[in-house]
Amino acid sequence: MFYKLGGKDMAKYAYRDKDRKDIIYSDEAIEVDRNTAFFCPDHKCNAKLYICAVDGSKSAYFRATKPNFKHIKNCLFGNSSTEFDSNNYDESQFVYEDAINNLLCNTKPSSQKRIPSAHGTGEPGAHPPRTLRQIYSLCKSLSVRDTYAGKEIGSMILDDRSKYRYPKGCFGNRIIEATVDGRLYNDEKKEVYLVSPINSKKYTFILSFSDEDNYKKIRSEIYNNRDKIIVIAGKWESSGEYNKFTSKVYGTKQVAIIK
Ligand SMILES: [Zn+2]
């Protein structure tokens, strides 16, 4: 894979105020006083974040450097799964609908060309974010009101930050940040059930499988990680029941477990 900055707990944005209205991005915070504390993007998290530069990189990040004000357990902004170094990707080539459509087909994940880490920032092989994990990290590294390649983050992902955009449900090519709540699967129907967003649990999502092997593999993977955050890329439509949506799942490219 690409050169990685290493370490966890590196947020690309934070807030100046407790109400999380006044956003500040790490790349505009280079001049900021290193002793100024900022608020974690997660409202439930009381971490105090400080701007930090990363050795060998132009990037700066917000980190919870004070032992008494670390990220709460399960705060995604203290988790390396949400790390996204935009320097490693070619934004200009990113077309959201194509990226999702590529996840929704049952081919094996393309064997990605490995870029030797010596190439550092990865310029020679820079490609747009492709895998679900990459796109998810991208979505979590920016505010839902930000855009990437002209597309608003909140229109890519349903999570607790973007739910205001989905008052009547979740339709079309969308990534959902989901969790297990109650019944997880139905072997007869070859269906797996999740809820999203993870805090409000407003909507139920039905993953529908036609292939038995895929069903068993993904059902087990989700079952074994039922206390974790499950991210699914789907083409969602109404299931016919109120607040329930369904998508076909063709393979593991559509599923990411956030540990
Ligand atoms: Zn936090």
Side-chain angles (χ1 to χ4, degrees), residues 83-149:
E83 240 174 65
F84 182 80
D85 188 343
S86 56
N87 295 321
N88 286 343
Y89 298 96
D90 184 351
E91 178 175 353
S92 70
Q93 287 184 54
F94 183 70
V95 180
Y96 174 77
E97 292 292 330
D98 292 352
I100 299 299
N101 284 333
N102 278 328
L103 301 175
L104 304 186
C105 57
N106 47 6
T107 55
K108 295 266 178 293
S110 60
S111 54
Q112 304 209 346
K113 284 176 209 144
R114 302 208 158 223
I115 307 298
S117 55
H119 284 198
T121 50
E123 293 286 331
H127 62 72
R130 282 183 190 140
T131 67
L132 178 55
R133 203 166 276 279
Q134 287 164 357
I135 301 168
Y136 174 71
S137 302
L138 156 68
C139 289
K140 301 307 272 190
S141 73
L142 296 171
S143 150
V144 291
R145 292 170 202 270
D146 284 323
T147 59
Y148 188 79

Side-chain angles (χ1 to χ4, degrees), residues 40-42 45-47 49 70-72 75-78:
C40 177
D42 183 335
C45 179
N46 55 7
L49 308 186
K70 289 291 189 194
H71 291 281
I72 55 171
C75 175
L76 284 169
F77 297 94

